[in-house]
């Protein structure tokens, strides 16, 4: 939960959209601000690396020192024109030497753990790994099946998370020029019709969560307006998009919902002095949707009995569930029984909140799960049982296990975690 000083909790509609695989994140400059050198610092660094004549050097210095947004954009354009092919490598060098990826390491971890269907970003820094716009990228995002919350890509801290599209390119070897100037914006928007078609399709069919976006890009606002008009958004309809924004007053939030189709999740900056609320909101969204966080909360302080003769076979799943419970503030007791007889003794004397039984056959050729379920039924030993197989199962095998009392036969870890979430929902 967010602290009481924050004005909103995460809306349930947004949580449902994320979990259902219908939400796309749109990540702006504010997300990476702590890690990226300030705009003036970037421009000064580029000017130092550029071989400018005295007149151009003075021109750039005047534009940068004046400091207005239009002047800074103009300075970027002058530098890009003057430097030509040397512009992108110089920009990459500045980000590599002066950037601080450690400053947003936790943000990146949380972002990767939220089961978005895709992540779009206008940031060209290398701190989010992704692909640049193009037919293969568009096909992957628009045509591939949705990424559901139980997939392994969201389970652990080093999992990749949702696919990332670098809308404005990336400094480095991705093979796409960086959109850093007004000319670059125009070329990206109007020289590549597929680009806007791609965005229009996503905005019309997905709930979009804006993170670190200030809504100053005219094309972004126009695109949102076009989608609202197309679907005839009404006051009583749920938002078509959400945004994490600082210091939004209730009357402003009401207007944005009613007339912009935008749900706001606001945080208090204490007069522009404290931006930690953004991180608290991001964590709240993560904890409300991440499969490991959800399973951890469900399994905290419970007892799980694994019935499997191999320690290695259950090691990964056992570690994920144990870590998840610990992260949720509890501790799951994990007990392994290497045989049906050993499991039966445990169930007679102790209570298990969950039994996970191997489908493999024992030394007598009988499936372990089948023998265990038969014994539990005969002795009236009660606990939810999920049968786990690392190989495809036949309809007959599944029918036999279900008929003996198993809640499900899960093939692989993702089906197991999905079933555990269903059991403990």
């Amino acid at each position: 939960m967010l602290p009481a000083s924050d004005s909103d909790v995460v809306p349930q509609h947004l949580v449902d959209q994320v979990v259902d695989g219908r939400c796309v994140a749109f990540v702006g400059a504010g997300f990476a601000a702590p890690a990226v050198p300030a705009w003036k610092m970037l421009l000064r660094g580029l000017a130092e690396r550029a071989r400018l004549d005295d007149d151009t050097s003075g021109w750039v210095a005047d534009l940068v020192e004046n400091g207005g947004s239009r002047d800074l954009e103009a300075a970027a354009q002058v530098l890009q024109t003057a430097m030509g092919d040397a512009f992108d490598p110089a920009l990459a060098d500045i980000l590599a030497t002066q950037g601080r990826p450690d400053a947003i390491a936790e943000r990146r971890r949380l972002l990767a753990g939220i089961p978005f269907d895709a992540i779009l970003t206008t940031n060209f820094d290398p701190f989010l790994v992704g692909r640049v716009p193009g037919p293969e990228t568009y096909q992957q995002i628009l045509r591939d099946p949705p990424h559901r919350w139980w997939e392994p890509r969201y389970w652990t801290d080093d999992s990749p998370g949702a696919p990332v599209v670098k809308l404005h390119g990336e400094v480095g070897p991705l093979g796409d020029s960086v959109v850093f100037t007004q000319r670059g914006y125009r070329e990206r928007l109007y020289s590549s019709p597929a680009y806007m078609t791609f965005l229009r399709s996503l905005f019309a069919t997905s709930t979009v969560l804006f993170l670190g976006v200030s809504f100053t890009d005219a094309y972004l606002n126009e695109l949102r307006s076009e989608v609202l008009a197309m679907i005839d958004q009404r006051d009583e309809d749920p938002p078509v998009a959400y945004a994490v924004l600082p210091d939004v007053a209730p009357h402003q939030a009401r207007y944005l919902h009613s007339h912009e189709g935008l749900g706001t999740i606001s945080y208090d900056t204490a007069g522009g002095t404290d931006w930690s609320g953004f991180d608290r909101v991001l964590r709240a969204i993560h904890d409300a949707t991440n499969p490991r966080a959800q399973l951890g909360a469900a399994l905290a302080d419970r007892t799980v009995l694994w019935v499997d003769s191999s320690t290695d076979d259950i090691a990964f799943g056992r570690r994920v569930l144990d870590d998840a419970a610990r992260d949720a503030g509890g501790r799951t007791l994990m007990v392994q029984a290497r045989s049906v007889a050993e499991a039966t003794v445990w169930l007679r004397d102790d209570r298990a909140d969950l039994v996970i039984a191997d489908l493999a056959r024992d030394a007598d050729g009988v499936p372990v799960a089948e023998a265990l379920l038969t014994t539990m039924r005969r002795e009236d030993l009660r606990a939810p049982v999920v049968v786990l197989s690392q190989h495809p199962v036949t309809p007959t095998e599944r029918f036999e296990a279900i008929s003996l009392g198993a809640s499900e036969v899960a093939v692989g870890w993702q089906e197991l975690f999905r079933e555990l979430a269903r059991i403990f929902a």
Side-chain angles (χ1 to χ4, degrees), residues 165-248:
V165 182
K166 310 294 288 282
L167 295 174
H168 290 177
E170 178 178 312
V171 294
L174 286 186
D176 188 53
S177 58
V178 170
V179 177
F180 193 63
T181 64
Q182 284 298 321
R183 179 182 295 175
Y185 285 120
R186 289 196 297 269
E187 291 177 353
R188 181 57 52 95
L189 292 175
Y190 303 117
S191 298
S192 178
Y195 176 79
M196 287 301 288
T197 301
F198 168 69
L199 289 180
R200 190 176 292 111
S201 299
L202 272 185
F203 277 43
T205 58
S206 303
T207 296
V208 182
L209 173 62
F210 294 97
L211 298 166
V213 176
S214 61
F215 297 101
T216 56
D217 286 338
Y219 85 88
L220 183 59
N221 293 330
E222 182 65 24
L223 181 60
R224 291 188 58 256
S225 297
E226 181 182 333
V227 170
L228 290 174
M230 178 174 63
I231 64 177
D232 191 23
Q233 177 77 4
R234 304 294 181 90
D235 289 3
E236 64 274 12
D237 293 335
V240 297
Y242 290 88
V244 179
L245 296 171
D247 304 319
V248 178

Side-chain angles (χ1 to χ4, degrees), residues 306-319 336-338 356-361 368 388-391 412-413 416-417:
W306 297 79
V307 187
D308 195 305
S309 60
S310 171
T311 301
D312 291 340
D313 285 353
I314 69 171
F316 175 78
R318 180 172 179 171
R319 185 179 74 251
Q336 181 178 3
R338 298 179 180 276
I356 302 174
D358 188 15
L359 187 62
R361 297 179 182 274
V368 171
L388 176 62
S389 174
Q390 298 296 346
H391 305 285
W413 296 116
L416 172 66
F417 291 168

Side-chain angles (χ1 to χ4, degrees), residues 4 34 64 82 140 148 162 178 182 195 230 238-239 244 250 283 352 357 403 418:
V64 172
Q140 177 194 21
R148 304 309 301 272
V178 170
Q182 284 298 321
Y195 176 79
M230 178 174 63
V244 179
R283 176 174 290 280
S403 65
R418 179 176 59 180

